[in-house]
């Protein structure tokens, strides 16, 4: 072990978080566990976040300040990971805060069971109401109480449903992360989705601490999670990369049922954030072509296609609908009927081919 090493490296990406930064940093510095470093990576902030960071660094030598041009939280976390000297890694967002015992309890458990990952519970802190609530995923997590370390093969049908995606509930063994070369994606949002799917799938041992130790802030508009409706492409990239890498590691077929269930859940959420019906229909095709047909609801599947493509004929008109755009053509114009019929036949074939393509895995 190097002389300058520490037990835990806490990595915090920061971008324009002056309102919450002090509470976040104080919650780390006031930990009952003392052998750690805090690597703060400023992601090109334009508010006084850097000033706050420097004030804290002047008071505590465990603070390490890094800076970069605005590149996103994923790139910032990877930079912190590169400089980390800790035997274990913990990632916290700069607008959240943790219980004083988090590092101590997580460290003791991960060392006791010699695990690659240790996971705790979080609650939701409502910024507007100033109140705490319990997220749905925590109920499933509680079923693991008193269960010793396990891995994805022990819960192959629902491993991804037992936890939440973000890294703030997890302590990682640094050696494990470097061995599998796990990195956060360079995406504006969802940059931790691949990291979650990949590390959970490859961990030899996963331990749990059945306590709420992290407080995730909601109902504030400064973070990217509050603006995700137009970033749906990120979730597609995350799941495609995870599927590719898990296949390469020969573990995908073991956990693919849980993987696809997680994908469907994430896709449904992303679609729910899109307000414009035209955009939602476009992204529905792009998202759901990733899923095998058996993970679709067949009734909804049929409804979506009836809304996406529709050709209706009456005695006087032909009504053609495409992605919500309707075109009505009168039949009493013989010079255009032949050409129109030819185009409709071609379109119907393309739609049929598209349906078959999407139904396949």
């Amino acid at each position: 072990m190097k002389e300058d090493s520490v037990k835990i490296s806490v990595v915090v990406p920061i971008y324009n978080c002056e309102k919450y930064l002090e509470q976040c940093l104080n919650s780390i510095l006031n930990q009952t566990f003392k052998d750690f470093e805090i690597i703060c990576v400023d992601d090109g902030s334009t508010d006084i976040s850097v000033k706050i960071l420097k004030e804290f660094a002047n008071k505590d030598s465990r603070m390490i300040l890094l800076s970069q041009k605005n590149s996103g939280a994923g790139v910032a976390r990877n930079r912190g990971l590169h400089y980390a000297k800790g035997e274990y890694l913990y990632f916290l967002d700069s607008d959240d805060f943790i219980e004083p015992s988090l590092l101590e309890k997580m460290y003791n458990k991960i060392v006791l069971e010699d695990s690659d990952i240790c996971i705790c519970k979080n609650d939701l802190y409502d910024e507007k109401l100033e109140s705490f609530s319990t997220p749905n995923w925590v109920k499933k997590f509680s079923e693991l109480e008193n269960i010793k370390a396990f891995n994805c093969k022990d819960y192959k049908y629902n491993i991804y449903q037992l936890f939440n995606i973000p890294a703030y509930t997890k302590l990682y063994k640094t050696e494990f992360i470097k061995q599998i070369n796990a990195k956060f994606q360079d995406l504006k949002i969802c940059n931790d989705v691949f990291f979650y799917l990949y590390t959970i799938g490859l961990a030899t041992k996963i331990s749990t601490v059945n306590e709420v130790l992290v407080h995730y802030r909601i109902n504030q508009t400064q973070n990217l999670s509050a603006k995700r409706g137009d970033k749906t492409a990120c979730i597609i990239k995350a799941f495609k990369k995870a599927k590719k890498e898990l296949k390469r590691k020969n573990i995908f077929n073991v956990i693919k049922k849980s993987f696809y269930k997680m994908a469907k859940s994430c896709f449904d959420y992303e679609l729910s954030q899109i307000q414009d019906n035209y955009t939602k229909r476009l992204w529905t095709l792009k998202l759901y072509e990733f899923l095998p047909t058996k993970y679709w609801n067949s009734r909804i599947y049929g409804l979506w296609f009836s809304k996406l493509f529709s050709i209706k004929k009456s005695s006087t008109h032909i009504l053609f609908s495409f992605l919500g755009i309707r075109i009505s053509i009168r039949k009493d114009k013989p010079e255009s009927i032949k050409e129109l019929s030819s185009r409709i036949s071609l379109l119907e074939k393309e739609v049929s081919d598209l349906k078959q393509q999407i139904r396949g895995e």
Side-chain angles (χ1 to χ4, degrees):
M1 185 186 302
K2 296 181 180 179
E3 293 183 0
D4 59 348
S5 66
V6 293
K7 295 296 184 185
I8 300 175
S9 293
V10 181
V11 178
V12 185
I14 296 109
Y15 178 71
N16 287 352
C17 204
E18 60 184 14
K19 185 177 179 180
Y20 312 113
L21 187 53
E22 289 189 31
Q23 183 181 23
C24 174
L25 295 177
N26 280 324
S27 75
I28 302 171
L29 292 172
N30 292 330
Q31 289 291 296
T32 55
F33 186 92
K34 302 300 182 182
D35 190 6
F36 64 87
E37 63 179 359
I38 310 176
I39 303 177
C40 296
V41 185
D42 175 62
D43 187 35
S45 296
T46 57
D47 62 1
I48 65 169
S49 292
V50 174
K51 179 182 177 182
I52 295 171
L53 289 172
K54 290 180 178 178
E55 290 174 354
F56 271 82
N58 289 333
K59 297 176 183 178
D60 198 307
S61 61
R62 293 174 295 181
M63 294 270 296
I64 299 171
L65 306 186
L66 302 175
S67 62
Q68 64 182 36
K69 66 179 182 179
N70 183 240
S71 304
V75 176
R77 291 190 187 105
N78 288 337
R79 189 147 191 257
L81 171 60
H82 176 76
Y83 283 93
K85 300 190 296 287
E87 296 177 44
Y88 297 90
L89 292 162
Y90 178 66
F91 299 91
L92 183 64
D93 294 337
S94 57
D95 51 354
D96 300 328
F97 55 104
I98 58 178
E99 286 293 306
S101 60
L102 180 142
L103 294 183
E104 181 179 7
K105 290 179 176 178
M106 299 277 273
Y107 176 82
N108 288 341
K109 192 63 177 290
I110 201 170
V111 171
L112 175 66
E113 298 186 339
D114 189 25
S115 299
D116 295 321
I117 307 173
C118 184
I119 307 176
C120 68
K121 298 190 291 190
N122 74 277
D123 60 16
L124 308 176
Y125 176 68
D126 193 302
E127 174 72 11
K128 294 180 180 178
L129 300 178
E130 297 184 346
S131 62
F132 296 90
S133 60
T134 303
N136 290 331
W137 78 272
V138 165
K139 298 175 183 177
K140 295 182 179 179
F141 182 98
S142 297
E143 298 174 5
L144 299 171
E145 188 173 10
N146 300 323
I147 294 178
K148 292 184 179 180
F150 55 89
N151 59 39
C152 69
K153 294 179 181 178
D154 298 312
Y155 293 90
K156 58 185 179 181
Y157 298 120
N158 67 335
I159 185 67
Y160 290 124
Q161 285 68 46
L162 294 174
F163 316 113
N164 66 340
I165 290 175
Y168 54 67
T169 56
K170 302 164 188 72
L171 183 68
Y172 300 92
K173 182 186 290 185
T174 305
E175 181 182 5
F176 163 68
I177 295 300
K178 292 185 175 180
Q179 181 181 17
I180 66 173
N181 193 29
K183 297 287 180 63
F184 293 89
Q185 280 184 290
D186 181 7
L187 302 173
K188 283 297 182 183
I189 65 162
C190 305
N191 57 73
D192 51 357
V193 172
F194 165 76
F195 194 87
Y196 170 71
L197 296 170
Y198 187 56
T199 55
I200 292 294
L202 295 184
T204 302
K205 288 184 181 180
I206 301 171
S207 295
T208 61
V209 174
N210 193 28
E211 295 183 46
V212 172
L213 299 176
V214 185
H215 307 294
Y216 175 72
R217 196 182 302 269
I218 62 173
N219 273 339
Q220 47 100 2
T221 58
Q222 288 184 310
N223 65 0
L224 283 169
S225 292
K227 305 175 182 178
R228 51 194 308 150
D230 61 343
K231 304 292 194 305
T232 317
C234 295
I235 199 72
I236 301 176
K237 293 179 180 179
F239 274 92
K240 282 185 175 180
K241 181 176 180 180
K243 181 178 178 179
K244 177 182 177 181
E245 293 302 315
L246 290 170
K247 278 190 170 184
R248 190 170 64 87
K249 294 292 187 177
N250 298 317
I251 196 66
F252 179 77
N253 286 335
V254 176
I255 54 177
K256 69 177 182 179
K257 183 174 181 179
S258 179
F259 181 91
Y260 282 131
K261 283 163 57 180
M262 174 62 73
K264 185 180 185 304
S265 176
C266 289
F267 292 175
D268 287 344
Y269 175 77
E270 293 300 327
L271 290 171
S272 74
Q273 303 303 296
I274 301 175
Q275 302 301 316
D276 177 66
N277 286 332
Y278 174 81
T279 303
K280 180 177 288 190
R281 290 167 184 169
L282 282 175
W283 281 114
T284 296
L285 279 178
K286 291 181 180 294
L287 288 170
Y288 276 81
E289 68 182 359
F290 179 79
L291 291 174
T293 310
K294 62 183 178 181
Y295 294 94
W296 285 54
N297 180 312
S298 59
R299 184 180 65 83
I300 294 176
Y301 170 83
L303 286 174
W304 270 113
F305 266 102
S306 68
K307 291 180 179 180
L308 288 168
F309 306 99
S310 175
I311 300 173
K312 296 180 180 180
K313 301 176 183 180
S314 70
S315 59
T316 58
H317 289 76
I318 296 176
L319 181 62
F320 168 60
S321 296
F322 176 73
L323 295 172
I325 301 173
R326 295 184 177 184
I327 302 174
S328 179
I329 301 176
R330 292 176 57 181
K331 286 185 175 181
D332 59 359
K333 294 185 177 180
E335 67 277 3
S336 62
I337 292 297
K338 186 175 181 180
E339 180 182 356
L340 177 63
S341 297
S342 176
R343 291 184 179 180
I344 288 175
S345 297
L346 180 61
L347 180 61
E348 287 176 332
K349 183 180 183 304
E350 290 177 352
V351 171
S352 177
D353 291 343
L354 181 58
K355 286 182 179 181
Q356 291 179 5
Q357 179 182 352
I358 292 178
R359 287 194 185 105
E361 180 172 351

